[in-house]
């Protein structure tokens, strides 16, 4: 009855599921990691790097999202690519699930061990292997975080600009194809990764662009690098990344302005981009987010739909850019700019933007965040935001909207009372409707947070049955026994 190719733990799961037909039995039947495998793990990474303590397992069984904790059976800490390779061989031979763990800041339950198994934490692999300032690139091990890299680069005049709000590991950022407020100017992880060292399920180590290659361009065969970017730990473990660096701009100035309605703020954004202005950041906050930000970050902005902007370049170019953008703001009946020119003011403003999640949670103390993340072609953005806002209002829930609007990407951070199942249901239905709306408007159900556990159904809707089949075939090629982060991206 069951396909012979299924790994053992899946056969157990499937048998139990078919016997009782219940979801509970599916969860209860998660295979235990045998003691001899735990011993073998310790033989590879050392006793100090293996833990079966519940506190450690719980720490590794969840990320920063709303998904319930699903602890792995055991946590192993790798200190080298050899460790990663040996652990993968072991788990592959034993057909035990293996979940890579970077820094656990993901937002779609990517690290949750929903089918049990071994969590492999790579945060101890923290070497910055090389920096080539003249070539604008560097190579880092998987545990290096973005802030650590930028602190290290401080004296070179270079930086790595991709900035999810959290201080995530750079290879975790590769795995989720992260981006943030700087994407409008510098792109996402996809545009900024040149090569990856990846350990495959059977323990083989490959370099996606060839060993030590670090060119800006290549036409050599398939783009394996970008196959692993966004693969969420389901195709291999990324152990090193070669990344593009950028020059720190000569001058920077930030500003805030507000509008009478959402449409005018988003129209201004579209026009700024259409005029070819190389804006450094352009972030949208609706009036609910502005109110939350004022209270939490001690700002005194007018409570109205607003844009946070940043301009970079030479003093002359700053003058031209700010003049032109100021004119566009006026054309859309926006307010004057409130400038943040010195570094303290700028940092305060952007810290407020990055703290917005905490600000939104403070609107309803005791609540947990439930976040959405959709992205549409920029010309469709005004309508999709306006209609999402209508859905939020219809449902009668608190739903602040924040957007990387220059990329057509926006979020709602719902503060949710998780002890109230009805409320959770209402919020998840609004989030689902927003994703479906984005798909109807030629968009995607996730611009930057990934599929993880939360958006598996939506993925099929987005790319279609045949597209999903091809993804499954790719997965089977890289991971024939299905041990790598099972149950993520697809069911
Ligand atoms: C307050 C706040 C604010 C933001 C965000 C989070 C938080 C808490 N994020 C989300 C988050 O920072 C982002 O998803 C990171 O890329 C996750 O990196 P971690 O190292 O934490 O991966 P984490 O450990 O959470 O793992 C994420 C996924 O990648 C896999 N993985 C991790 N390391 C791997 C490796 N070396 N090889 C293979 N697979 C690996 C995991 O198995 C999992 O599926 C975000 N994101 C964003 O894009 N834009 C944003 O603006 C923000 N903002
Ligand atoms: C539930 C946590 C949501 C944080 C999302 C952060 C993000 O993507 C952003 O601020 O932008
Ligand atoms: Mn974001």
């Amino acid at each position: 009855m069951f396909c012979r190719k299924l790994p053992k733990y899946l056969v157990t799961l499937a048998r139990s599921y078919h016997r009782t037909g219940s979801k509970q039995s599916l969860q209860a039947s998660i295979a235990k990691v045998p003691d001899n495998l735990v011993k073998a793990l310790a033989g590879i990474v050392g006793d100090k790097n293996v833990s079966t303590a519940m506190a450690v397992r719980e720490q590794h069984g969840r990320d920063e999202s709303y998904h319930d904790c699903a602890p792995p059976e055991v946590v192993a800490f790798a200190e080298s690519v050899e460790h990663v390779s040996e652990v993968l061989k072991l788990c592959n031979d034993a057909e035990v699930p293996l979940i890579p763990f970077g820094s656990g800041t993901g937002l779609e339950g990517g690290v949750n061990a929903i089918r049990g198994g071994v969590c492999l934490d790579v945060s101890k692999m923290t070497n910055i292997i090389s920096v080539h300032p003249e070539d604008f690139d560097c190579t880092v091990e998987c545990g290096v975080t973005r802030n650590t890299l930028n602190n290290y680069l401080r004296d070179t005049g270079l930086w790595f600009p991709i900035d999810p709000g959290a201080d995530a590991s750079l290879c975790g950022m590769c795995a989720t194809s992260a981006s943030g407020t700087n994407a409008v100017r510098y792109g996402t992880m996809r545009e900024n990764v040149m090569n990856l060292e990846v350990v495959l399920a059977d323990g083989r180590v490959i370099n996606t662009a060839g060993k030590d290659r670090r060119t800006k361009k290549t036409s050599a065969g398939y783009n394996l690098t970008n196959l692993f970017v966004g693969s969420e730990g389901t195709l291999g473990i990324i152990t090193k990344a070669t990344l593009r660096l950028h020059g720190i701009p000569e001058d920077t100035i930030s500003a805030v302005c507000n509008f009478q309605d959402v449409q005018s703020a988003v129209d201004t954004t579209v026009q700024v981009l259409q005029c070819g202005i190389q804006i450094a950041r352009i972030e949208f906050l609706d009036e609910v987010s502005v109110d939350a930000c004022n209270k939490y970050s001690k700002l005194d902005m007018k409570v109205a739909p607003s844009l946070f902007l940043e301009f970079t370049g030479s003093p002359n170019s700053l003058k031209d850019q700010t003049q032109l953008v100021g004119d566009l703001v006026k054309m859309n009946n926006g307010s004057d700019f409130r400038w943040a020119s010195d570094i303290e003011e700028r940092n305060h403003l952007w810290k407020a933007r990055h703290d917005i999640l905490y600000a939104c949670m403070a609107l309803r103390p005791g609540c947990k965040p439930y976040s959405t993340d959709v992205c549409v072609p920029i010309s469709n953005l005004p309508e999709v935001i306006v209609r999402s806002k209508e859905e939020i209002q219809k449902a009668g829930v608190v739903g602040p909207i924040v957007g990387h609007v220059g990329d057509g990407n926006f979020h709602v951070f719902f503060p949710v009372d998780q002890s109230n199942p009805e409320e959770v249901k209402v919020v998840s239905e609004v989030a689902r409707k927003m994703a479906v709306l984005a798909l109807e408007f030629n968009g995607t159900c996730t611009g930057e947070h990934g599929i993880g556990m939360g958006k598996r159904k939506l993925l099929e809707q987005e790319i279609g049955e045949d597209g999903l089949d091809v993804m499954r075939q790719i997965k089977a090629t890289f991971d024939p026994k299905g041990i790598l982060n099972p149950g993520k991206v697809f069911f």
Side-chain angles (χ1 to χ4, degrees), residues 64 99-107 110-111 122 142 164-166 168-169 171-173 175-176 178-180 232-233 236-238 357-358 404 448-449 485:
E64 301 275 344
I99 306 106
F101 187 99
S103 45
T105 69
L107 296 172
V111 297
V122 295
C142 41
S169 76
C171 290
M173 286 166 59
T176 60
S179 51
E232 302 188 36
I237 299 201
I238 304 167
L357 167 71
Y358 309 108
H404 310 296
E448 53 178 25
H449 297 166
N485 210 359

Side-chain angles (χ1 to χ4, degrees), residues 46 119 163 206 249 270 395 452 471 489:
C119 170
D163 67 330
I206 62 163
V270 175
M471 284 198 186
V489 182

